[in-house]
Amino acid sequence: MKYFYSFYIFLVLLISFNSSLNAQIDKRCSSFEYNQAENSTFHQPENIERLLKLRDQYKSGEIEDTYLPVVVHVLHNNSDGSIGGNNISDEQIQSQIDRLNIDFAGLSEELSSIPDTFKNIVAYGTGFQFCLATVDENGQNFNGITRTYTTKTVFTDKDDAKETGSGGKSPLSRCDYINIWVVPDLQKPSGQTVLGYAQSPGGNAASDGIVVRQENFGDDTGT
């Protein structure tokens, strides 16, 4: 069940990331095209039914809150490792975790602006809470953040952020963590800038997670 939870989270997590996009971004999310290419099975009817059942079980009290450990992989261009620019601060990362918890608890200040058509399906509390991981895969103390210097300034929606050999950072086990990569910039091969993308169910374990542009991750806190 935890495995399916992680897939569900990947599909909806991007809605909570900072949407203060500048004028040059003409496409917010590349998840649809990405998952088409990956032949995702999420949209098969049986998987949609499982998702709806989970929602109903939580609403009825059959399922308690699920706490999900997150690992944020910051890919940055500061060769000296200093915090600043696209090597975002711990505070900025925490601000994004805080925002996720607000939104997934149904406490967003923007709920009042939801169109009437969708108000009857709003999840005012999903049963998911997020926190930065506190131990690594070896059981050692860990703050849930990795920082990797890279000379690469632009990543694509072709999973290069998730591969050490491509200037990125390999993920931790998806069975134990939600992996999120924060990159200096993110574009489609055509050069179109996007906010981010998430892998949905049925994908490769080595690429399970979310990739987000640095400028659209968290608040402008601590940087």
Side-chain angles (χ1 to χ4, degrees), residues 64-210:
E64 297 180 354
D65 283 358
T66 300
Y67 291 84
L68 302 172
V70 176
V71 175
V72 176
H73 305 285
V74 180
L75 307 180
H76 64 87
N77 302 134
N78 295 355
S79 59
D80 61 357
S82 60
I83 301 299
N86 52 42
N87 192 13
I88 60 177
S89 67
D90 291 3
E91 291 83 1
Q92 187 169 345
I93 292 169
Q94 184 60 52
S95 74
Q96 182 61 75
I97 302 299
D98 294 341
R99 169 52 58 180
L100 291 174
N101 286 326
I102 289 170
D103 287 353
F104 275 74
L107 300 175
S108 172
E109 63 276 10
E110 296 181 356
L111 284 178
S112 60
S113 63
I114 292 175
D116 291 340
T117 303
F118 302 108
K119 285 184 177 179
N120 66 325
I121 58 172
V122 171
Y124 292 98
T126 61
F128 294 107
Q129 290 289 307
F130 303 87
C131 59
L132 288 170
T134 57
V135 294
D136 64 17
E137 292 178 302
N138 298 315
Q140 302 299 310
N141 290 337
F142 178 44
N143 68 354
I145 302 169
T146 71
R147 298 181 182 276
T148 303
Y149 168 69
T150 177
T151 58
K152 202 165 188 174
T153 57
V154 179
F155 287 81
T156 72
D157 60 355
K158 300 301 180 183
D159 289 338
D160 47 348
K162 307 171 184 178
E163 301 175 1
T164 301
S166 300
K169 175 72 174 179
S170 298
L172 276 66
S173 170
R174 71 173 177 184
C175 294
D176 299 307
Y177 308 94
I178 292 178
N179 288 277
I180 302 177
W181 289 263
V182 182
V183 299
D185 199 4
L186 185 61
Q187 296 180 4
K188 298 178 71 63
S190 64
Q192 182 183 43
T193 300
V194 294
L195 167 62
Y197 67 94
Q199 178 176 296
S200 57
N204 186 349
S207 56
D208 218 6
I210 304 164

Side-chain angles (χ1 to χ4, degrees), residues 12-37:
V12 294
L13 212 57
L14 283 176
I15 63 172
S16 295
F17 289 111
N18 189 319
S19 58
S20 301
L21 309 182
N22 58 39
Q24 66 179 341
I25 301 175
D26 49 11
K27 186 168 185 60
R28 287 191 168 194
C29 179
S30 188
S31 294
F32 180 75
E33 293 90 343
Y34 173 85
N35 287 296
Q36 276 191 318

